[in-house]
Amino acid sequence: MEANREAKAILKYARISPRKVKIVLDLIRGKDADVAMAILKNTPKSASEYLIKLLKSAVANAENNFEMDASKLYVSECYVCPGPTLKRMMPRAKGSANRILKRTSHVTIAVKERASASDVAVAE
């Protein structure tokens, strides 16, 4: 049995600032998958909606593609990278304009199976 297998889920071009997503990702990093899901469901941030779907997808990938046990999964890795920024103009006084930056994010969540004590004993 491979101990270092991980299942990933990637969300690209999410219309939310990476700065806002990072705050919520820091809450779930290293937590068990079910604990992380509970944290996300009770966090009143707009990034939580995106991350709930993404975590469900990562867990489903682990179960279906790698035949991992969902009860042993934990969030091994989660990070956000800035995507392309949409630039828009907003009219201002005296015929001038201000630039509005609508930021996007690429979010990645990876889950791994936590090694139990019996697996460690067999490996040694």
Side-chain angles (χ1 to χ4, degrees), residues 38-62:
I39 290 170
L40 290 174
K41 285 183 178 176
N42 292 298
T43 303
K45 295 275 189 188
S46 57
S48 296
E49 289 179 43
Y50 292 103
L51 296 179
I52 287 171
K53 279 185 164 183
L54 196 59
L55 183 58
K56 280 182 184 175
S57 178
V59 170
N61 289 343

Side-chain angles (χ1 to χ4, degrees), residues 19-117:
R19 185 176 176 176
K20 293 177 182 175
V21 178
K22 186 181 182 312
I23 293 168
V24 184
L25 282 178
D26 290 341
L27 294 174
I28 65 167
R29 189 173 289 113
K31 302 273 194 312
D32 288 337
D34 52 347
V35 173
M37 187 62 73
I39 290 170
L40 290 174
K41 285 183 178 176
N42 292 298
T43 303
K45 295 275 189 188
S46 57
S48 296
E49 289 179 43
Y50 292 103
L51 296 179
I52 287 171
K53 279 185 164 183
L54 196 59
L55 183 58
K56 280 182 184 175
S57 178
V59 170
N61 289 343
E63 286 180 298
N64 295 318
N65 301 344
F66 299 103
E67 296 169 3
M68 294 183 193
D69 183 11
S71 61
K72 293 182 182 177
L73 293 176
Y74 73 100
V75 180
S76 62
E77 193 177 26
C78 57
Y79 55 89
V80 60
C81 300
T85 301
L86 307 174
K87 292 159 182 90
R88 301 291 181 255
M89 300 306 282
M90 182 176 217
R92 306 307 289 177
K94 300 182 181 178
S96 65
N98 278 0
R99 182 179 273 183
I100 304 291
L101 300 177
K102 295 181 178 268
R103 301 183 189 277
T104 61
S105 302
H106 299 322
V107 188
T108 303
I109 292 182
V111 292
K112 278 187 182 177
E113 211 168 30
R114 212 179 275 287
S116 62

